[in-house]
Each structure stands twice: as structure tokens, then as C-alpha cells.
Amino acid sequence: VQLQASGGGLVQAGGSLRLSCLASGGTIRQNGMGWFRQAPRQQREFVAAISWNGDSQFYADSVKGRFTISRDNAKNTVLLQMNSLKPEDTAVYYCAKSYYTGSYYHVPASYEFDLWGQGTQVTVSS
């Protein structure tokens, strides 16, 4: 399985973007999925996660209420809708597949994610 993230770009503060993560060469329908991001000179951080069936989501406090993660298992796709973007959201965003098959009630550990996409750049101007 390979993950391909897309949808990044340049947007003004307050604007919106929708990121997509397409899985090819296999299925992700039985896996939890997540989005992470990494800003320049900073460590990678968790953004959002969704359970295999979409019934459970968890968000980082910094994006809660602004970002929404969803998935379409029929299309092998995970989405991240980002609204009310802020300059501090500027980062490379990565989607990742987890071996975890349960619900999300807390920030998942990075080691739970065993497959990563190549990342898509999101830049928010002030």
C-alpha cells in the first residue's frame, strides 16, 4: 500500500483547504488513519485520527473545532477539512496508516502508524 497526500497550497489566514490521502496498491478500510504535520525546525506533531469505520475521531487541541477528519473506505481515501486557518498551521502535512483498529479517545502514539505518505505543504499567510 502507498499513501499519496494532496490538496496543500497557499491560503490566507481565515481561509480553508481540504487535504486528501489516497491509498493505492491495497486497502486501508480496516485501519485507523491519521494526519500529522511538521513545521520547519519543529518536531512532527499529531493533528487528527479516525477509526477504521469513521465512527471515532480525535483531534489535537490546536485544531479542535477548525479541522475535520473523515474517510471514504469505498474510495480508499481519508480527508482533512481545514477551516479558519492560522499562520501557525503552516507545515508539511502527512497522512499515515495505523495498525490500531479501535476507537480513538486520546492522542495516538506515532509508533502505531506503520505507513506514511510523502507529505503536502500547507502555507497560511497572515
Side-chain angles (χ1 to χ4, degrees):
V1 179
Q2 291 185 323
L3 301 178
Q4 178 76 34
S6 61
L10 174 63
V11 64
Q12 288 188 331
S16 298
L17 283 174
R18 189 176 75 166
L19 304 185
S20 296
C21 177
L22 174 65
S24 60
T27 180
I28 57 170
R29 65 187 62 184
Q30 296 181 330
N31 299 92
M33 295 292 294
W35 286 95
F36 292 77
R37 67 187 181 186
Q38 187 167 19
R41 297 174 299 280
Q42 294 188 21
Q43 290 188 333
R44 184 176 60 197
E45 66 173 356
F46 168 78
V47 175
I50 188 167
S51 59
W52 70 275
N53 60 359
D55 286 352
S56 171
Q57 305 93 36
F58 197 86
Y59 299 91
D61 287 344
S62 58
V63 307
K64 200 173 298 182
R66 300 187 297 122
F67 291 11
T68 302
I69 187 171
S70 61
R71 65 188 300 159
D72 185 339
N73 283 342
K75 297 181 179 179
N76 253 2
T77 300
V78 179
L79 303 175
L80 185 68
Q81 178 67 42
M82 306 187 296
N83 298 329
S84 302
L85 283 162
K86 304 175 182 180
E88 50 263 45
D89 294 318
T90 295
V92 177
Y93 284 71
Y94 299 90
C95 63
K97 179 183 72 71
S98 173
Y99 60 74
Y100 182 66
T101 59
S103 298
Y104 285 103
Y105 300 108
H106 53 77
V107 176
S110 293
Y111 62 75
E112 295 180 7
F113 295 84
D114 55 7
L115 181 68
W116 296 78
Q118 89 292 355
T120 184
Q121 176 70 47
V122 171
T123 303
V124 184
S125 63
S126 57

